[in-house]
Amino acid sequence: MIAKTACRIGAGLLLLCAGVPVALAAPQTKPTYESLLERAKRQDPGVDFTALRMAYFEAPKHGTTDSDLRKAMFSALGEKNYDQALAIAGQILNVNYLDIDAHLISALVSKKKNDLERQKLHDFVGKGLTQSILRSGDGKTLDTAYVVISVDEEYSLLRVLGLRMGGQTLLNAGAHHYDQMDVSDPKTGQKLTVYFNIDKPYAEELKMFQ
C-alpha cells in the first residue's frame, strides 16, 4: 500500500516506479554574438534579432560607428554618388555590422545597381534590426519606450519612421534613463513625442568616466 501511494505522488515518482528513466534537462547554452550573426548573414528567418543586438552590446569590444563616416555616407547618397555611399557603408559594417543606416543604404544602392542578392541580404538585416526595436515598445510613454543599445539606433529608427528631430531631453525615472525626442511628421506637420529607454548606452557612457 505504501509503495502504491508513493507512486501516485507525482509524475516524476510515477516514472521511477514504472521503471522509466527520467531524462535530465540539458543546460541551455546562450547563443553567442558570432553564432547569431552567422545566422543573420545566412538570412535565417528564425534568427532572434533582439538576442543578436543584446549579444553585440555585451561583447567586450563591440564597435561603434564613426560619426564622420556616417555623415560622409549620407552626403554621398544625397549627391547620388552611389558607389561611394556603398563603399562607406561597407566600412561602417566592417566595424559595426548592426548599423541600421548602413544596411538600409546598402540595400537601396544595391537595388539601384540591380545587385538583387546584396539588396536581399541588407534588407533582411536592416529590417530585422528595425523590427526588433519596434517590438520592444511603442515609444509613446516611459513605460513603453523603445529599448535601444545605442544612440545611433534612436536616430536610425526616427529616420525609418520618417520623423524629423526637434528637441531632445534626458529623463531619469527611478533606476531607468530615457531620451525624450520631440519630433514632427513632415508629411502632416503633426508634432509628436517619442521615448527611448537608454539604460544600456547610458551605463556604458558612465563607465567611460569611471
Side-chain angles (χ1 to χ4, degrees):
M1 176 66 72
I2 295 175
K4 290 182 180 179
T5 302
C7 285
R8 295 192 187 99
I9 292 175
L13 288 178
L14 280 172
L15 290 174
L16 288 171
C17 291
V20 179
V22 179
L24 297 176
Q28 295 295 316
T29 303
K30 189 176 182 180
T32 64
Y33 167 68
E34 289 76 17
S35 66
L36 291 166
L37 179 62
E38 192 272 334
R39 290 179 63 188
K41 288 182 175 181
R42 282 194 287 107
Q43 300 171 60
D44 180 346
V47 65
D48 185 336
F49 277 97
T50 298
L52 174 64
R53 290 169 54 237
M54 298 306 157
Y56 177 74
F57 179 82
E58 292 167 6
K61 293 184 178 179
H62 62 265
T64 56
T65 300
D66 184 288
S67 59
D68 290 334
L69 275 181
R70 179 184 296 281
K71 291 175 184 176
M73 178 177 66
F74 280 111
S75 178
L77 182 67
E79 295 167 3
K80 298 184 179 181
N81 190 338
Y82 298 130
D83 287 337
Q84 184 179 8
L86 189 60
I88 297 172
Q91 287 180 262
I92 291 172
L93 294 177
N94 281 338
V95 176
N96 175 12
Y97 198 78
L98 302 195
D99 188 290
I100 295 173
D101 290 322
H103 279 294
L104 297 183
I105 286 177
S106 294
L108 176 64
V109 173
S110 297
K111 181 178 181 179
K112 290 182 178 295
K113 295 171 70 67
N114 203 34
D115 187 343
L116 300 185
E117 282 303 309
R118 179 180 281 188
Q119 177 198 350
K120 185 180 177 183
L121 168 63
H122 292 295
D123 263 338
F124 177 79
V125 180
K127 290 177 180 177
L129 294 170
T130 302
Q131 287 298 319
S132 169
I133 302 172
L134 289 172
R135 284 194 294 267
S136 69
D138 61 18
K140 295 180 180 179
T141 69
L142 295 183
D143 289 337
T144 60
Y146 295 122
V147 178
V148 294
I149 63 170
S150 70
V151 174
D152 287 342
E153 283 193 338
E154 297 180 66
Y155 292 108
S156 294
L157 188 67
L158 292 179
R159 274 189 284 270
V160 168
L161 295 175
L163 300 175
R164 183 175 296 162
M165 269 292 298
Q168 179 178 351
T169 305
L170 175 64
L171 302 175
N172 299 320
H176 299 289
H177 306 277
Y178 303 88
D179 268 341
Q180 174 185 306
M181 301 294 204
D182 298 315
V183 299
S184 61
D185 185 337
K187 293 180 180 179
T188 64
Q190 182 183 12
K191 295 187 181 300
L192 304 165
T193 299
V194 180
Y195 296 97
F196 291 93
N197 179 309
I198 59 167
D199 284 347
K200 291 186 179 296
Y202 186 88
E204 185 174 47
E205 188 172 347
L206 282 182
K207 289 180 183 178
M208 295 172 61
F209 297 98
Q210 291 178 350

